[in-house]
């Protein structure tokens, strides 16, 4: 069964292609390669294209007799979204609208969408459930929330069945070493901490004056292969005729930046030089998921939820 995977050359998309293939699906990657890598497309064909090209999306859906779409393609740098919001609304929100219109035209009615805890904004209670208010504090979160709303509107209007998956902090890489985390520039804590430990450079700690036990920010780090498996479960549920749904994906456990730094030292066996820096703008003190719904409705259980294990899988360098 052919599944179109937009953004399948990216970090989470490529890991999901591996899981799809393993579960007996045929991923067909649609990616403009602006931030993804063709070397990460290993489990099916790559169609190099942009979501602004609606005709091309329609042709891909039709010619490959696509049964469902997994939609990852998006820009995901919070800072960049603040300095260039138009880029995010055009690529993320506009791209999603084009995809939805193309799916409607061709009659593809199943969609799994890559959303984010950034749609919640600053938490008003913890852990964050799917019913938490959605008040994004940056254009990246807004662009994803607007996409969610469009997807939900296409349900009753056009019969679209959808699964919206809101990830917390995606981390780690394929435990079998076939894929790596490969962002340019890299902004995420775990790869930067590993790089600093191995190269002997300093890791900046953005704020140690938060209202948390050690003063640094707390995040819920979820292994990318666990995210990938959740997508396959969500897809299977849609294909089995299950109702549309919205699910948080996290472990429910929080780790502070200083705990991550200590775990990186332990896993690499190297001392990590730390440079205490001012807070990074827009960082909430604590983000922790309540993922009970994904566990009960999708039958999903994160299997790599040990921080040191996550870091161990992230050690391999981009090739
Ligand atoms: N951090 C540092 N030093 C660094 C990098 C990060 O101290 O060099 C800290 C951050 O301030 C934050 C934590 O490490 O407290 C995690 O930061 P990341 O950049 O790894 O991840 P974020 O929590 O900022 O971002 C993630 C996703 C985004 C998403 C966001 C939602 O990567 O796509 O969660 O809040 F928008």
């Amino acid at each position: 069964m052919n599944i179109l995977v937009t953004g399948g050359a990216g970090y989470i998309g490529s890991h999901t292609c591996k899981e799809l293939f393993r579960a007996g699906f045929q991923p067909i990657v649609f990616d403009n390669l602006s931030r993804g890598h063709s070397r990460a497309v290993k489990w099916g064909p790559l169609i190099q294209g942009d979501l602004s090209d609606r005709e091309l999306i329609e042709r891909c859906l039709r010619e490959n007799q696509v049964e469902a779409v997994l939609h990852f393609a998006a820009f995901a740098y919070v800072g960049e979204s603040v300095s260039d919001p138009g880029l995010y609304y055009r690529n993320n929100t506009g791209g999603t609208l084009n995809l939805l219109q193309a799916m409607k035209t061709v009659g593809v009615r199943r969609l799994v969408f890559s959303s984010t805890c950034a749609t919640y904004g600053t938490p008003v209670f913890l852990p964050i459930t799917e019913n938490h208010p959605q008040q994004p504090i940056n254009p990246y979160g807004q662009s994803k929330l607007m996409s969610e709303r469009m997807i939900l509107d296409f349900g009753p209007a056009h019969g679209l069945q959808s699964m919206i998956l809101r990830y917390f902090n995606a981390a780690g890489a394929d435990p079998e070493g076939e894929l790596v985390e490969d962002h340019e520039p890299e902004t995420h804590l775990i790869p930067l901490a590993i790089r600093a430990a191995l190269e002997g450079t300093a890791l900046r700690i953005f704020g140690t004056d938060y209202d948390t036990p050690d003063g640094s920010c707390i995040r819920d780090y979820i292994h990318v292969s666990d995210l990938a498996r959740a997508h396959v479960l969500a897809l299977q549920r849609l294909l089995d005729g299950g109702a549309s749904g919205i699910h948080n994906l996290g472990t429910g456990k929080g780790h502070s930046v200083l705990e991550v730094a200590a775990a990186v030292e332990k896993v690499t066996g190297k001392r990590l030089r730390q440079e205490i820096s001012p807070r990074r703008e827009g960082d909430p003190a604590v983000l922790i998921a309540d993922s009970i719904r994904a566990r009960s409705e999708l039958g999903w259980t994160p299997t790599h939820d040990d921080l040191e294990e996550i870091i161990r899988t992230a050690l391999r360098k981009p090739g």
Side-chain angles (χ1 to χ4, degrees):
M1 185 184 285
N2 289 344
I3 308 297
L4 193 75
V5 183
T6 77
Y11 172 46
I12 305 172
S14 60
H15 281 81
T16 303
C17 286
K18 179 171 178 171
E19 286 297 327
L20 279 172
F21 191 78
R22 189 180 265 165
F25 296 102
Q26 178 58 64
I28 296 171
V29 170
F30 186 97
D31 200 301
N32 65 10
L33 298 182
S34 70
R35 299 195 179 174
H37 309 279
S38 55
R39 61 180 173 272
V41 182
K42 300 184 176 189
W43 291 277
L46 165 66
I47 296 158
Q48 190 170 349
D50 195 278
L51 288 178
S52 61
D53 188 347
R54 203 167 121 190
E55 268 178 40
L56 178 61
I57 310 172
E58 287 178 15
R59 216 167 49 237
C60 290
L61 293 171
R62 215 176 263 123
E63 287 176 1
N64 295 292
Q65 294 169 340
V66 166
E67 295 283 337
V69 176
L70 268 57
H71 175 34
F72 296 91
F75 291 153
Y77 291 117
V78 170
E80 182 183 56
S81 81
V82 174
S83 56
D84 192 356
L87 186 66
Y88 278 68
Y89 292 119
R90 192 177 66 236
N91 190 53
N92 297 2
T93 316
T96 302
L97 179 58
N98 267 340
L99 174 66
L100 290 172
Q101 299 274 36
M103 289 174 68
K104 184 189 113 191
T105 304
V106 179
V108 178
R109 295 210 167 78
R110 295 182 184 105
L111 174 71
V112 181
F113 177 59
S114 164
S115 192
T116 165
C117 65
T119 60
Y120 294 118
T122 307
V124 293
F125 60 80
L126 289 164
I128 297 173
T129 64
E130 290 83 358
N131 298 324
H132 186 285
Q134 287 183 290
Q135 287 160 341
I137 53 170
N138 52 60
Y140 167 62
Q142 283 287 6
S143 73
K144 286 284 186 174
L145 178 57
M146 290 162 82
S147 301
E148 284 193 5
R149 298 269 155 86
M150 293 189 301
I151 291 166
L152 294 176
D153 287 344
F154 270 60
H158 305 301
L160 181 73
Q161 298 291 106
S162 64
M163 287 285 181
I164 290 173
L165 304 180
R166 296 183 186 140
Y167 325 145
F168 282 65
N169 283 56
D174 177 33
E176 288 154 12
E178 290 189 279
L179 293 163
V180 293
E181 180 168 8
D182 193 358
H183 295 115
E184 190 48 49
E186 188 53 78
T187 60
H188 295 112
L189 176 63
I190 291 178
L192 287 178
I194 290 173
R195 196 182 294 173
L198 296 181
E199 295 175 2
T201 54
L203 173 74
R204 286 190 295 159
I205 309 286
F206 295 136
T208 50
D209 57 349
Y210 285 95
D211 185 16
T212 59
D214 68 17
S216 66
C217 286
I218 292 175
R219 294 288 180 272
D220 183 336
Y221 295 92
I222 175 76
H223 194 276
V224 65
S225 300
D226 284 325
L227 289 181
R229 264 189 327 98
H231 286 78
V232 175
L233 291 169
L235 171 67
Q236 280 165 336
R237 195 173 153 88
L238 286 180
L239 294 171
D240 290 345
S244 296
I246 300 175
H247 299 276
N248 282 341
L249 299 178
T251 62
K253 285 197 285 189
H255 295 286
S256 74
V257 175
L258 293 175
E259 281 169 0
V260 170
V264 165
E265 285 190 323
K266 196 161 163 209
V267 170
T268 59
K270 310 254 185 211
R271 208 181 71 79
L272 177 56
R273 209 145 47 81
Q274 298 174 11
E275 194 178 290
I276 306 302
S277 304
R279 291 181 177 197
R280 192 174 66 177
E281 209 185 319
D283 272 342
V286 183
L287 291 173
I288 295 176
D290 177 322
S291 293
I292 289 170
R293 192 190 281 178
R295 289 169 191 260
S296 63
E297 292 185 11
L298 300 180
W300 174 72
T301 318
T303 52
H304 307 278
D305 65 346
D306 175 70
L307 181 61
E308 286 176 24
E309 189 199 334
I310 291 177
I311 292 169
R312 225 169 280 123
T313 67
L315 279 179
R316 194 177 285 255
K317 276 192 190 156

